[in-house]
Amino acid sequence: MLFRRRAKKPFWLNVKHGIKPEKGWKRVAQYFIYRLKRRPGSPEFIAKGFAFGVAINYWPILFTHLIFGFLLCRVFRGDLLAMFIGTLLGNPWTFAIVYPLSYKLGKVFLGMRPMHSASTLDSAEEVFARIWPIESWESFVVAWHDIIVPMMIGGVLLALPSAFIAYFLTRNALRVYQGQRRKHLQRHFDDVEAEIEKTHLLPD
């Protein structure tokens, strides 16, 4: 295929660049902001997709983010590419902050505050010690009840305000950009039209 790499990048290199992009996070952010600005569609349509992508990063079950983001975009009519760009805000660095925070917030919401006993889960070490490896149905039930459910609840509580903030910031930024772009195109059109009229009015 045209422009395909001659040698496929090793898996470990893909992982490394996923954590630390080859050209830096600033360049990556600039590229995706450019893609968002150039997307066809209304600011509301694009902003909804981006907000869904941001919100779905709080979902605790890995490798299902794009699936649920796709469903949200289909049901509520958001832009799929903008949703994908929103999910890219989730990475190993942000997961390390978001997941413990959503877990603890979910525990507080469900009244599962730590009681400083052996049966209480609070720290990351306790979490992984209880759920991994899952060797029986009983350990799966414990993991689901004590960890996954609190993380889901906490994730929703964090996702809702994040999605609203992402939606309004993106929508307003796109409105400003598209308004400026229309004015620029209109000025260019007026200049071309004036030049044509001037050319036709010139005497032979």
Side-chain angles (χ1 to χ4, degrees), residues 61-92:
I61 303 176
L62 295 174
F63 311 114
T64 62
H65 292 163
L66 289 179
I67 296 173
F68 286 104
F70 174 83
L71 293 175
L72 286 171
C73 284
R74 285 303 183 192
V75 172
F76 297 102
R77 297 187 179 183
D79 184 60
L80 287 174
L81 181 59
M83 179 276 295
F84 174 73
I85 293 173
T87 62
L88 294 179
L89 295 178
N91 59 71

PDB file of all heavy atoms in Angstrom, residues 61-92:
ATOM      1  N   ILE A  61     -13.841  -0.457  32.404  1.00  0.00           N
ATOM      2  CA  ILE A  61     -13.517  -1.684  31.680  1.00  0.00           C
ATOM      3  C   ILE A  61     -12.724  -1.319  30.433  1.00  0.00           C
ATOM      4  O   ILE A  61     -13.261  -0.740  29.476  1.00  0.00           O
ATOM      5  CB  ILE A  61     -14.789  -2.463  31.302  1.00  0.00           C
ATOM      6  CG1 ILE A  61     -15.592  -2.768  32.572  1.00  0.00           C
ATOM      7  CG2 ILE A  61     -14.437  -3.751  30.565  1.00  0.00           C
ATOM      8  CD1 ILE A  61     -16.919  -3.453  32.315  1.00  0.00           C
ATOM      9  N   LEU A  62     -11.443  -1.635  30.448  1.00  0.00           N
ATOM     10  CA  LEU A  62     -10.567  -1.291  29.336  1.00  0.00           C
ATOM     11  C   LEU A  62     -10.966  -2.034  28.060  1.00  0.00           C
ATOM     12  O   LEU A  62     -11.595  -3.087  28.108  1.00  0.00           O
ATOM     13  CB  LEU A  62      -9.117  -1.623  29.702  1.00  0.00           C
ATOM     14  CG  LEU A  62      -8.505  -0.815  30.852  1.00  0.00           C
ATOM     15  CD1 LEU A  62      -7.123  -1.343  31.189  1.00  0.00           C
ATOM     16  CD2 LEU A  62      -8.434   0.666  30.503  1.00  0.00           C
ATOM     17  N   PHE A  63     -10.554  -1.468  26.927  1.00  0.00           N
ATOM     18  CA  PHE A  63     -10.766  -2.046  25.592  1.00  0.00           C
ATOM     19  C   PHE A  63     -12.239  -2.048  25.169  1.00  0.00           C
ATOM     20  O   PHE A  63     -12.587  -2.700  24.195  1.00  0.00           O
ATOM     21  CB  PHE A  63     -10.197  -3.471  25.498  1.00  0.00           C
ATOM     22  CG  PHE A  63      -8.787  -3.584  26.003  1.00  0.00           C
ATOM     23  CD1 PHE A  63      -8.489  -4.319  27.145  1.00  0.00           C
ATOM     24  CD2 PHE A  63      -7.758  -2.930  25.336  1.00  0.00           C
ATOM     25  CE1 PHE A  63      -7.191  -4.415  27.602  1.00  0.00           C
ATOM     26  CE2 PHE A  63      -6.444  -3.019  25.792  1.00  0.00           C
ATOM     27  CZ  PHE A  63      -6.161  -3.764  26.926  1.00  0.00           C
ATOM     28  N   THR A  64     -13.096  -1.360  25.918  1.00  0.00           N
ATOM     29  CA  THR A  64     -14.500  -1.238  25.504  1.00  0.00           C
ATOM     30  C   THR A  64     -14.892   0.222  25.292  1.00  0.00           C
ATOM     31  O   THR A  64     -16.043   0.511  24.998  1.00  0.00           O
ATOM     32  CB  THR A  64     -15.445  -1.863  26.553  1.00  0.00           C
ATOM     33  OG1 THR A  64     -15.319  -1.162  27.799  1.00  0.00           O
ATOM     34  CG2 THR A  64     -15.132  -3.336  26.771  1.00  0.00           C
ATOM     35  N   HIS A  65     -13.933   1.129  25.440  1.00  0.00           N
ATOM     36  CA  HIS A  65     -14.242   2.558  25.355  1.00  0.00           C
ATOM     37  C   HIS A  65     -14.796   2.939  23.984  1.00  0.00           C
ATOM     38  O   HIS A  65     -15.800   3.660  23.893  1.00  0.00           O
ATOM     39  CB  HIS A  65     -12.994   3.384  25.668  1.00  0.00           C
ATOM     40  CG  HIS A  65     -12.565   3.256  27.091  1.00  0.00           C
ATOM     41  ND1 HIS A  65     -11.310   3.611  27.525  1.00  0.00           N
ATOM     42  CD2 HIS A  65     -13.214   2.806  28.195  1.00  0.00           C
ATOM     43  CE1 HIS A  65     -11.203   3.404  28.822  1.00  0.00           C
ATOM     44  NE2 HIS A  65     -12.352   2.905  29.253  1.00  0.00           N
ATOM     45  N   LEU A  66     -14.138   2.468  22.934  1.00  0.00           N
ATOM     46  CA  LEU A  66     -14.585   2.836  21.591  1.00  0.00           C
ATOM     47  C   LEU A  66     -15.957   2.239  21.274  1.00  0.00           C
ATOM     48  O   LEU A  66     -16.758   2.859  20.566  1.00  0.00           O
ATOM     49  CB  LEU A  66     -13.560   2.379  20.548  1.00  0.00           C
ATOM     50  CG  LEU A  66     -12.238   3.156  20.529  1.00  0.00           C
ATOM     51  CD1 LEU A  66     -11.299   2.578  19.476  1.00  0.00           C
ATOM     52  CD2 LEU A  66     -12.485   4.635  20.265  1.00  0.00           C
ATOM     53  N   ILE A  67     -16.223   1.056  21.801  1.00  0.00           N
ATOM     54  CA  ILE A  67     -17.521   0.421  21.556  1.00  0.00           C
ATOM     55  C   ILE A  67     -18.637   1.260  22.158  1.00  0.00           C
ATOM     56  O   ILE A  67     -19.632   1.592  21.489  1.00  0.00           O
ATOM     57  CB  ILE A  67     -17.547  -1.002  22.145  1.00  0.00           C
ATOM     58  CG1 ILE A  67     -16.518  -1.887  21.429  1.00  0.00           C
ATOM     59  CG2 ILE A  67     -18.945  -1.616  22.036  1.00  0.00           C
ATOM     60  CD1 ILE A  67     -16.357  -3.257  22.049  1.00  0.00           C
ATOM     61  N   PHE A  68     -18.488   1.638  23.424  1.00  0.00           N
ATOM     62  CA  PHE A  68     -19.520   2.429  24.088  1.00  0.00           C
ATOM     63  C   PHE A  68     -19.574   3.851  23.526  1.00  0.00           C
ATOM     64  O   PHE A  68     -20.657   4.444  23.442  1.00  0.00           O
ATOM     65  CB  PHE A  68     -19.293   2.448  25.597  1.00  0.00           C
ATOM     66  CG  PHE A  68     -19.637   1.159  26.273  1.00  0.00           C
ATOM     67  CD1 PHE A  68     -18.653   0.289  26.701  1.00  0.00           C
ATOM     68  CD2 PHE A  68     -20.960   0.791  26.463  1.00  0.00           C
ATOM     69  CE1 PHE A  68     -18.973  -0.916  27.313  1.00  0.00           C
ATOM     70  CE2 PHE A  68     -21.297  -0.407  27.078  1.00  0.00           C
ATOM     71  CZ  PHE A  68     -20.300  -1.258  27.498  1.00  0.00           C
ATOM     72  N   GLY A  69     -18.423   4.395  23.151  1.00  0.00           N
ATOM     73  CA  GLY A  69     -18.423   5.705  22.528  1.00  0.00           C
ATOM     74  C   GLY A  69     -19.165   5.693  21.194  1.00  0.00           C
ATOM     75  O   GLY A  69     -19.913   6.625  20.879  1.00  0.00           O
ATOM     76  N   PHE A  70     -18.967   4.625  20.429  1.00  0.00           N
ATOM     77  CA  PHE A  70     -19.677   4.478  19.153  1.00  0.00           C
ATOM     78  C   PHE A  70     -21.188   4.411  19.379  1.00  0.00           C
ATOM     79  O   PHE A  70     -21.960   5.071  18.666  1.00  0.00           O
ATOM     80  CB  PHE A  70     -19.196   3.202  18.452  1.00  0.00           C
ATOM     81  CG  PHE A  70     -19.956   2.862  17.203  1.00  0.00           C
ATOM     82  CD1 PHE A  70     -19.633   3.465  15.998  1.00  0.00           C
ATOM     83  CD2 PHE A  70     -20.991   1.938  17.224  1.00  0.00           C
ATOM     84  CE1 PHE A  70     -20.337   3.160  14.842  1.00  0.00           C
ATOM     85  CE2 PHE A  70     -21.699   1.631  16.082  1.00  0.00           C
ATOM     86  CZ  PHE A  70     -21.368   2.248  14.883  1.00  0.00           C
ATOM     87  N   LEU A  71     -21.606   3.657  20.389  1.00  0.00           N
ATOM     88  CA  LEU A  71     -23.039   3.536  20.679  1.00  0.00           C
ATOM     89  C   LEU A  71     -23.632   4.873  21.116  1.00  0.00           C
ATOM     90  O   LEU A  71     -24.732   5.243  20.694  1.00  0.00           O
ATOM     91  CB  LEU A  71     -23.265   2.482  21.768  1.00  0.00           C
ATOM     92  CG  LEU A  71     -22.931   1.029  21.381  1.00  0.00           C
ATOM     93  CD1 LEU A  71     -23.071   0.109  22.582  1.00  0.00           C
ATOM     94  CD2 LEU A  71     -23.826   0.565  20.237  1.00  0.00           C
ATOM     95  N   LEU A  72     -22.905   5.610  21.945  1.00  0.00           N
ATOM     96  CA  LEU A  72     -23.393   6.918  22.386  1.00  0.00           C
ATOM     97  C   LEU A  72     -23.553   7.875  21.204  1.00  0.00           C
ATOM     98  O   LEU A  72     -24.540   8.610  21.116  1.00  0.00           O
ATOM     99  CB  LEU A  72     -22.435   7.514  23.420  1.00  0.00           C
ATOM    100  CG  LEU A  72     -22.468   6.908  24.828  1.00  0.00           C
ATOM    101  CD1 LEU A  72     -21.320   7.459  25.662  1.00  0.00           C
ATOM    102  CD2 LEU A  72     -23.807   7.209  25.502  1.00  0.00           C
ATOM    103  N   CYS A  73     -22.575   7.847  20.293  1.00  0.00           N
ATOM    104  CA  CYS A  73     -22.652   8.728  19.126  1.00  0.00           C
ATOM    105  C   CYS A  73     -23.811   8.348  18.217  1.00  0.00           C
ATOM    106  O   CYS A  73     -24.453   9.219  17.623  1.00  0.00           O
ATOM    107  CB  CYS A  73     -21.336   8.683  18.352  1.00  0.00           C
ATOM    108  SG  CYS A  73     -19.994   9.604  19.128  1.00  0.00           S
ATOM    109  N   ARG A  74     -24.076   7.067  18.097  1.00  0.00           N
ATOM    110  CA  ARG A  74     -25.186   6.635  17.251  1.00  0.00           C
ATOM    111  C   ARG A  74     -26.534   7.006  17.860  1.00  0.00           C
ATOM    112  O   ARG A  74     -27.449   7.430  17.161  1.00  0.00           O
ATOM    113  CB  ARG A  74     -25.109   5.122  17.023  1.00  0.00           C
ATOM    114  CG  ARG A  74     -24.029   4.694  16.044  1.00  0.00           C
ATOM    115  CD  ARG A  74     -24.218   5.377  14.712  1.00  0.00           C
ATOM    116  NE  ARG A  74     -23.245   4.930  13.730  1.00  0.00           N
ATOM    117  CZ  ARG A  74     -23.038   5.529  12.565  1.00  0.00           C
ATOM    118  NH1 ARG A  74     -23.721   6.620  12.269  1.00  0.00           N
ATOM    119  NH2 ARG A  74     -22.149   5.062  11.722  1.00  0.00           N
ATOM    120  N   VAL A  75     -26.651   6.829  19.167  1.00  0.00           N
ATOM    121  CA  VAL A  75     -27.929   7.101  19.836  1.00  0.00           C
ATOM    122  C   VAL A  75     -28.195   8.601  19.916  1.00  0.00           C
ATOM    123  O   VAL A  75     -29.305   9.068  19.630  1.00  0.00           O
ATOM    124  CB  VAL A  75     -27.956   6.475  21.243  1.00  0.00           C
ATOM    125  CG1 VAL A  75     -29.198   6.912  22.008  1.00  0.00           C
ATOM    126  CG2 VAL A  75     -27.908   4.948  21.144  1.00  0.00           C
ATOM    127  N   PHE A  76     -27.159   9.378  20.301  1.00  0.00           N
ATOM    128  CA  PHE A  76     -27.366  10.813  20.531  1.00  0.00           C
ATOM    129  C   PHE A  76     -26.820  11.676  19.395  1.00  0.00           C
ATOM    130  O   PHE A  76     -26.765  12.900  19.523  1.00  0.00           O
ATOM    131  CB  PHE A  76     -26.705  11.226  21.855  1.00  0.00           C
ATOM    132  CG  PHE A  76     -27.306  10.551  23.051  1.00  0.00           C
ATOM    133  CD1 PHE A  76     -26.673   9.475  23.655  1.00  0.00           C
ATOM    134  CD2 PHE A  76     -28.521  10.982  23.564  1.00  0.00           C
ATOM    135  CE1 PHE A  76     -27.229   8.844  24.767  1.00  0.00           C
ATOM    136  CE2 PHE A  76     -29.077  10.369  24.668  1.00  0.00           C
ATOM    137  CZ  PHE A  76     -28.432   9.289  25.274  1.00  0.00           C
ATOM    138  N   ARG A  77     -26.402  11.045  18.310  1.00  0.00           N
ATOM    139  CA  ARG A  77     -25.967  11.752  17.107  1.00  0.00           C
ATOM    140  C   ARG A  77     -24.792  12.688  17.368  1.00  0.00           C
ATOM    141  O   ARG A  77     -24.917  13.911  17.297  1.00  0.00           O
ATOM    142  CB  ARG A  77     -27.143  12.512  16.487  1.00  0.00           C
ATOM    143  CG  ARG A  77     -28.262  11.600  16.031  1.00  0.00           C
ATOM    144  CD  ARG A  77     -29.328  12.346  15.265  1.00  0.00           C
ATOM    145  NE  ARG A  77     -30.381  11.425  14.815  1.00  0.00           N
ATOM    146  CZ  ARG A  77     -31.417  11.788  14.064  1.00  0.00           C
ATOM    147  NH1 ARG A  77     -31.540  13.047  13.680  1.00  0.00           N
ATOM    148  NH2 ARG A  77     -32.316  10.900  13.703  1.00  0.00           N
ATOM    149  N   GLY A  78     -23.655  12.085  17.665  1.00  0.00           N
ATOM    150  CA  GLY A  78     -22.422  12.839  17.814  1.00  0.00           C
ATOM    151  C   GLY A  78     -21.434  12.431  16.737  1.00  0.00           C
ATOM    152  O   GLY A  78     -21.603  11.407  16.071  1.00  0.00           O
ATOM    153  N   ASP A  79     -20.402  13.228  16.563  1.00  0.00           N
ATOM    154  CA  ASP A  79     -19.395  12.965  15.535  1.00  0.00           C
ATOM    155  C   ASP A  79     -18.445  11.862  15.981  1.00  0.00           C
ATOM    156  O   ASP A  79     -17.838  11.952  17.052  1.00  0.00           O
ATOM    157  CB  ASP A  79     -18.623  14.248  15.241  1.00  0.00           C
ATOM    158  CG  ASP A  79     -17.630  14.073  14.121  1.00  0.00           C
ATOM    159  OD1 ASP A  79     -18.049  13.747  12.999  1.00  0.00           O
ATOM    160  OD2 ASP A  79     -16.421  14.250  14.369  1.00  0.00           O
ATOM    161  N   LEU A  80     -18.296  10.834  15.154  1.00  0.00           N
ATOM    162  CA  LEU A  80     -17.489   9.671  15.532  1.00  0.00           C
ATOM    163  C   LEU A  80     -16.003  10.009  15.639  1.00  0.00           C
ATOM    164  O   LEU A  80     -15.328   9.566  16.573  1.00  0.00           O
ATOM    165  CB  LEU A  80     -17.700   8.535  14.536  1.00  0.00           C
ATOM    166  CG  LEU A  80     -19.037   7.802  14.619  1.00  0.00           C
ATOM    167  CD1 LEU A  80     -19.183   6.803  13.476  1.00  0.00           C
ATOM    168  CD2 LEU A  80     -19.165   7.070  15.951  1.00  0.00           C
ATOM    169  N   LEU A  81     -15.485  10.775  14.682  1.00  0.00           N
ATOM    170  CA  LEU A  81     -14.060  11.115  14.743  1.00  0.00           C
ATOM    171  C   LEU A  81     -13.763  11.996  15.950  1.00  0.00           C
ATOM    172  O   LEU A  81     -12.745  11.816  16.626  1.00  0.00           O
ATOM    173  CB  LEU A  81     -13.617  11.814  13.459  1.00  0.00           C
ATOM    174  CG  LEU A  81     -12.136  12.193  13.410  1.00  0.00           C
ATOM    175  CD1 LEU A  81     -11.254  10.954  13.560  1.00  0.00           C
ATOM    176  CD2 LEU A  81     -11.801  12.922  12.108  1.00  0.00           C
ATOM    177  N   ALA A  82     -14.652  12.928  16.249  1.00  0.00           N
ATOM    178  CA  ALA A  82     -14.465  13.769  17.439  1.00  0.00           C
ATOM    179  C   ALA A  82     -14.507  12.914  18.703  1.00  0.00           C
ATOM    180  O   ALA A  82     -13.771  13.173  19.655  1.00  0.00           O
ATOM    181  CB  ALA A  82     -15.539  14.848  17.492  1.00  0.00           C
ATOM    182  N   MET A  83     -15.380  11.894  18.709  1.00  0.00           N
ATOM    183  CA  MET A  83     -15.430  10.984  19.857  1.00  0.00           C
ATOM    184  C   MET A  83     -14.097  10.262  20.008  1.00  0.00           C
ATOM    185  O   MET A  83     -13.553  10.141  21.108  1.00  0.00           O
ATOM    186  CB  MET A  83     -16.560   9.975  19.663  1.00  0.00           C
ATOM    187  CG  MET A  83     -16.716   8.953  20.783  1.00  0.00           C
ATOM    188  SD  MET A  83     -15.623   7.495  20.625  1.00  0.00           S
ATOM    189  CE  MET A  83     -16.261   6.749  19.118  1.00  0.00           C
ATOM    190  N   PHE A  84     -13.542   9.792  18.899  1.00  0.00           N
ATOM    191  CA  PHE A  84     -12.258   9.088  18.944  1.00  0.00           C
ATOM    192  C   PHE A  84     -11.161  10.008  19.471  1.00  0.00           C
ATOM    193  O   PHE A  84     -10.331   9.597  20.295  1.00  0.00           O
ATOM    194  CB  PHE A  84     -11.898   8.583  17.545  1.00  0.00           C
ATOM    195  CG  PHE A  84     -10.536   7.963  17.465  1.00  0.00           C
ATOM    196  CD1 PHE A  84     -10.291   6.714  18.019  1.00  0.00           C
ATOM    197  CD2 PHE A  84      -9.496   8.633  16.847  1.00  0.00           C
ATOM    198  CE1 PHE A  84      -9.024   6.151  17.957  1.00  0.00           C
ATOM    199  CE2 PHE A  84      -8.233   8.076  16.774  1.00  0.00           C
ATOM    200  CZ  PHE A  84      -7.996   6.825  17.334  1.00  0.00           C
ATOM    201  N   ILE A  85     -11.153  11.259  19.032  1.00  0.00           N
ATOM    202  CA  ILE A  85     -10.161  12.214  19.522  1.00  0.00           C
ATOM    203  C   ILE A  85     -10.328  12.431  21.026  1.00  0.00           C
ATOM    204  O   ILE A  85      -9.344  12.527  21.770  1.00  0.00           O
ATOM    205  CB  ILE A  85     -10.282  13.539  18.761  1.00  0.00           C
ATOM    206  CG1 ILE A  85      -9.882  13.341  17.286  1.00  0.00           C
ATOM    207  CG2 ILE A  85      -9.420  14.625  19.396  1.00  0.00           C
ATOM    208  CD1 ILE A  85     -10.113  14.549  16.408  1.00  0.00           C
ATOM    209  N   GLY A  86     -11.579  12.475  21.480  1.00  0.00           N
ATOM    210  CA  GLY A  86     -11.824  12.627  22.916  1.00  0.00           C
ATOM    211  C   GLY A  86     -11.297  11.464  23.738  1.00  0.00           C
ATOM    212  O   GLY A  86     -10.771  11.651  24.837  1.00  0.00           O
ATOM    213  N   THR A  87     -11.405  10.257  23.190  1.00  0.00           N
ATOM    214  CA  THR A  87     -10.904   9.092  23.928  1.00  0.00           C
ATOM    215  C   THR A  87      -9.394   9.098  24.051  1.00  0.00           C
ATOM    216  O   THR A  87      -8.842   8.462  24.954  1.00  0.00           O
ATOM    217  CB  THR A  87     -11.334   7.777  23.248  1.00  0.00           C
ATOM    218  OG1 THR A  87     -10.768   7.704  21.933  1.00  0.00           O
ATOM    219  CG2 THR A  87     -12.845   7.665  23.165  1.00  0.00           C
ATOM    220  N   LEU A  88      -8.709   9.818  23.160  1.00  0.00           N
ATOM    221  CA  LEU A  88      -7.246   9.853  23.215  1.00  0.00           C
ATOM    222  C   LEU A  88      -6.730  10.639  24.418  1.00  0.00           C
ATOM    223  O   LEU A  88      -5.542  10.580  24.734  1.00  0.00           O
ATOM    224  CB  LEU A  88      -6.691  10.462  21.926  1.00  0.00           C
ATOM    225  CG  LEU A  88      -6.934   9.644  20.657  1.00  0.00           C
ATOM    226  CD1 LEU A  88      -6.355  10.354  19.453  1.00  0.00           C
ATOM    227  CD2 LEU A  88      -6.326   8.252  20.773  1.00  0.00           C
ATOM    228  N   LEU A  89      -7.625  11.376  25.083  1.00  0.00           N
ATOM    229  CA  LEU A  89      -7.218  12.032  26.322  1.00  0.00           C
ATOM    230  C   LEU A  89      -6.969  11.015  27.428  1.00  0.00           C
ATOM    231  O   LEU A  89      -6.319  11.313  28.425  1.00  0.00           O
ATOM    232  CB  LEU A  89      -8.285  13.036  26.768  1.00  0.00           C
ATOM    233  CG  LEU A  89      -8.517  14.230  25.834  1.00  0.00           C
ATOM    234  CD1 LEU A  89      -9.631  15.108  26.391  1.00  0.00           C
ATOM    235  CD2 LEU A  89      -7.241  15.042  25.659  1.00  0.00           C
ATOM    236  N   GLY A  90      -7.532   9.816  27.235  1.00  0.00           N
ATOM    237  CA  GLY A  90      -7.273   8.735  28.189  1.00  0.00           C
ATOM    238  C   GLY A  90      -6.015   7.988  27.806  1.00  0.00           C
ATOM    239  O   GLY A  90      -5.883   7.506  26.678  1.00  0.00           O
ATOM    240  N   ASN A  91      -5.075   7.907  28.692  1.00  0.00           N
ATOM    241  CA  ASN A  91      -3.806   7.209  28.456  1.00  0.00           C
ATOM    242  C   ASN A  91      -3.292   6.700  29.801  1.00  0.00           C
ATOM    243  O   ASN A  91      -3.886   6.997  30.844  1.00  0.00           O
ATOM    244  CB  ASN A  91      -2.797   8.154  27.783  1.00  0.00           C
ATOM    245  CG  ASN A  91      -2.519   9.388  28.604  1.00  0.00           C
ATOM    246  OD1 ASN A  91      -1.879   9.320  29.645  1.00  0.00           O
ATOM    247  ND2 ASN A  91      -3.032  10.536  28.152  1.00  0.00           N
ATOM    248  N   PRO A  92      -2.230   5.921  29.801  1.00  0.00           N
ATOM    249  CA  PRO A  92      -1.743   5.382  31.089  1.00  0.00           C
ATOM    250  C   PRO A  92      -1.513   6.427  32.168  1.00  0.00           C
ATOM    251  O   PRO A  92      -1.683   6.145  33.359  1.00  0.00           O
ATOM    252  CB  PRO A  92      -0.437   4.693  30.689  1.00  0.00           C
ATOM    253  CG  PRO A  92      -0.662   4.264  29.275  1.00  0.00           C
ATOM    254  CD  PRO A  92      -1.489   5.348  28.661  1.00  0.00           C
TER     255      PRO A  92
END
